[in-house]
Structures are given as C-alpha cells and as structure tokens.
C-alpha cells in the first residue's frame, strides 16, 4: 500500500494489472514484521527499516495487518518519546556545545519533573553522551532550555513540527509517523541530508 500511494503521488492510476517493483528486501521485511509483532504483544505497533538514502527495505504497519489495514508506519502520528534526544544532540553539536560539557541531573521545577526513575540518571552532572546511554531526561532538558529557539530551528530542518516549548523536544514533544522519524535518523547517516523516502522503483 505504501508503493501504491507513492505511485498515485507520481500520477499513476494503479489498477489490478499493474506491476509495482519495490525496494523492499524480503529478508528485511520478514525481520521487521517479526520484530514489530514481538514488541507489540496484544497492542498495535509499527516498524520501518530504511537505507540512509531513503529506500524502504521493510515496513510493518500494525501487529496484524489482516485485522487492521491502517498502516501505522506512515499514516499515523505518535509522540516519539526519547528518540527526540537526537535533535538536542544535533543542535548541541551545531551550536558549539562541547561533548565533554556536563549538564545537571536535578529536576527543573524542584518537584521531580521531568522524571528520571533510574538511579543512573540522578545525583551527578553528566555529559549528553552519558545521559543518552541511560536515556536520562533531565540533562537533555537543561540543554534544550539553553538551546531554546535554536533547537526549534533544527527540528524544522528535519521537516518535523516542533513543540511550542523547546524543552519538550527530548521528552517526546514531537509527533510524527515512524517512517518520518526513520527518515530523520537516516539523515545523520546520510551526511546530514534528509533522504527522499522511496518504496517504489518502477
């Protein structure tokens, strides 16, 4: 269905007698489906595997596509959670924040928010690299506060909609589809260039 949507976007009227040649790799597709089902359990989930240059090698739109034909991999928007920390790292790099600089692990409001339940995230200042290793929220939120509108600019460049408050970026304040999130991560491996998503070869 992703290939059909792409063909329609290109102006093709896809009927039953069309042959669509896709980038999908059967082994990768099987792995994505299996992994998505394991993660989902009784719930719905979605998975995407793309090359850094944007070719879709595997995509699973739900736990059971027979029961639910809504392709959650590209037709829904969800909060992205801690994967938003990527954009803080990019902004910190671009605006000259040293990778060795430490940020506080104390709460920002004095009432324990944002939460950091792991003891590995508490009681000491740490670099963003250390905070990423343990998915610690507070150091990233301090960095996001400091970056402010500059962080919003970075999120915009990934063609995602930033939240009203930049400090929400590392906490899941961005909503997008798994496919568009995969595209954002692919850009890092694609020398900083956002790839064009392509499921269809011909």
């Amino acid at each position: 269905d992703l290939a059909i949507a792409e063909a329609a976007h290109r102006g093709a009227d896809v009927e039953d007698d069309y042959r669509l040649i896709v980038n999908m790799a059967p082994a990768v597709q099987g792995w994505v489906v299996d992994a998505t089902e394991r993660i989902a359990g009784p719930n719905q989930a979605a998975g995407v595997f793309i090359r850094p240059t944007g070719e879709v090698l595997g995509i699973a739109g739900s736990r059971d596509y027979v029961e639910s034909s809504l392709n959650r991999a590209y037709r829904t928007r969800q909060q992205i959670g801690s994967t938003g920390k990527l954009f803080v790292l990019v902004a910190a790099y671009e605006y000259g924040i040293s990778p060795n600089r430490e940020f506080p692990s104390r709460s920002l409001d004095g009432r324990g928010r944002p939460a950091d339940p792991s003891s590995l995230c508490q009681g000491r200042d740490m670099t963003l690299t250390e905070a990423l290793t343990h998915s610690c929220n507070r150091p990233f939120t301090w960095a996001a506060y400091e970056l402010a509108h500059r962080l919003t600019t970075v999120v915009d460049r990934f063609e995602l909609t930033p939240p009203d408050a930049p400090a929400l970026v590392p906490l899941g304040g961005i909503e997008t589809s798994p496919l568009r999130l995969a595209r954002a991560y692919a850009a890092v491996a694609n020398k900083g260039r956002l790839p064009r998503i392509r499921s269809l070869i011909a």
Side-chain angles (χ1 to χ4, degrees):
D1 65 340
L2 181 62
I4 290 171
E6 187 175 332
H9 182 72
R10 294 188 190 183
D13 182 15
V14 179
E15 299 176 356
D16 291 342
D17 59 348
Y18 267 75
R19 171 180 289 181
L20 300 178
I21 302 170
V22 298
N23 285 301
M24 189 176 292
V28 176
Q29 174 64 15
W31 175 80
V32 171
V33 169
D34 291 344
T36 301
E37 289 178 352
R38 281 197 310 274
I39 291 167
N43 305 304
Q44 292 293 354
V48 178
F49 196 97
I50 66 174
R51 286 195 178 107
T53 46
E55 295 87 359
V56 178
L57 301 184
I59 183 168
S62 63
R63 177 180 58 81
D64 188 337
Y65 199 64
V66 175
E67 291 181 10
S68 174
S69 59
L70 172 65
N71 193 321
R72 289 168 175 81
Y74 76 100
R75 290 190 185 272
T76 62
R77 289 164 53 95
Q78 303 290 334
Q79 287 190 339
I80 67 171
S82 282
T83 56
K85 291 179 170 64
L86 168 71
F87 307 107
V88 180
L89 290 172
V90 171
Y93 173 79
E94 289 191 357
Y95 290 105
I97 294 177
S98 168
N100 298 318
R101 180 173 160 196
E102 295 183 337
F103 288 87
S105 62
R106 65 182 184 276
S107 70
L108 279 79
D109 65 356
R111 292 177 289 178
R113 290 182 293 209
D116 257 339
S118 172
S119 60
L120 297 171
C121 297
Q122 299 170 2
R124 63 187 178 90
D125 294 352
M126 64 184 73
T127 66
L128 293 181
T129 302
E130 292 176 293
L132 183 66
T133 301
H134 305 296
S135 196
C136 302
N137 292 324
R138 293 174 184 172
F140 272 92
T141 309
W142 282 103
Y145 261 119
E146 181 176 324
L147 289 161
H149 70 279
R150 295 175 293 182
L151 178 55
T152 300
T153 300
V154 168
V155 175
D156 276 331
R157 288 208 326 269
F158 281 91
E159 297 182 2
L160 299 174
T161 303
D164 292 336
L168 295 176
V169 169
L171 303 175
I174 298 170
E175 292 185 355
T176 191
S177 69
L179 183 59
R180 288 179 67 84
L181 181 60
R183 178 184 182 231
Y185 268 73
V188 177
N190 195 37
K191 299 181 179 179
R193 293 188 296 271
L194 269 178
R196 181 170 64 87
I197 294 296
R198 296 186 301 282
S199 64
L200 188 63
I201 296 174

